[in-house]
Structure formats: C-alpha cells, structure tokens
Amino acid sequence: MEELLNNVNFSTVIWQVITPFVFILVDIISGYVQALINKNVDSKIMREGLLHKFLLILVIVIGYVIQFAFSLNFVAPAITIYICTMELMSFLENLKKAGVNLGKLGNILKTKKED
C-alpha cells in the first residue's frame, strides 16, 4: 500500500491539502442542485451533510498530525485519495439522481431512488 501511495504523488503538498476540499465542495454543490431538480431540498439533510463534511475535514487534519508526528508519510496521501474517491462517487450519484445518463457507470451506482 505504501509503495502504491509513493507512486501516486501530488505535485505539491498544497494540492494534497486543497484537492479533497475541492472534491467536497463539488459534492455539496452537486447535491444541492440535484435536490433542487428533484424538488426535495431539506434543511435537515443539508445540515447533516454539512456536518459529515466537517468531520471529513477533521479526518484530513488528524491525518496530517499523524503524518508529521510519527513520520508516517503515507497517511495524509492515503486519506486524501480515500476522501477524493468517496466524494467522486457521491458526485456521480448526485448526477444520476439528477437524471444525468452515466451509461454503464450508472449501473454500478446505487441511489436512494432504487432502494
């Protein structure tokens, strides 16, 4: 795992920090837009979603603390990649819920409409 993470390098540490925040922001915006499209904007769901995003930010922070405190250089990149992957999947789910045809990729995404 560490070798894999060493091969997936961010151009700078700044991009390693900024990238998950960008993915989180894109997921928030796409979630809100799909809720508008489906006419189901709910302040409780929005509040819970934003609190989950805040927890992800805390995970990023603790990842850097662990990385620098214990010299475990793979921790922060692993967390960044995981969060970006998770947010990308959520973004794709939001697109599908909004009615965007994702082709074969859409078949692997489970959405609440299908539950």
Side-chain angles (χ1 to χ4, degrees):
M1 177 71 164
E2 188 173 349
E3 183 179 329
L4 173 67
L5 290 172
N6 286 334
N7 291 328
V8 179
N9 291 320
F10 290 89
S11 56
T12 64
V13 173
I14 297 299
W15 276 110
Q16 186 174 318
V17 173
I18 291 173
T19 302
F21 287 99
V22 171
F23 277 62
I24 288 170
L25 182 62
V26 167
D27 182 43
I28 290 170
I29 293 169
S30 68
Y32 184 72
V33 170
Q34 75 81 15
L36 284 173
I37 289 169
N38 292 313
K39 297 176 177 52
N40 63 351
V41 176
D42 184 336
S43 64
K44 180 181 178 189
I45 292 172
M46 288 172 41
R47 187 171 42 256
E48 288 174 359
L50 289 175
L51 290 173
H52 286 131
K53 300 306 180 191
F54 178 74
L55 291 175
L56 289 177
I57 292 168
L58 290 180
V59 169
I60 293 168
V61 170
I62 201 72
Y64 280 98
V65 169
I66 291 169
Q67 177 172 322
F68 294 121
F70 300 107
S71 295
L72 298 172
N73 295 330
F74 64 92
V75 173
I79 289 171
T80 298
I81 291 167
Y82 175 76
I83 289 174
C84 288
T85 302
M86 186 174 61
E87 294 301 313
L88 179 61
M89 292 302 295
S90 182
F91 170 68
L92 293 173
E93 289 170 357
N94 287 334
L95 289 178
K96 186 175 179 183
K97 288 178 189 175
V100 175
N101 183 356
L102 299 175
K104 290 183 180 181
L105 180 61
N107 294 337
I108 65 170
L109 297 173
K110 184 176 181 181
T111 60
K112 288 192 176 189
K113 282 185 176 179
E114 298 169 348
D115 289 347

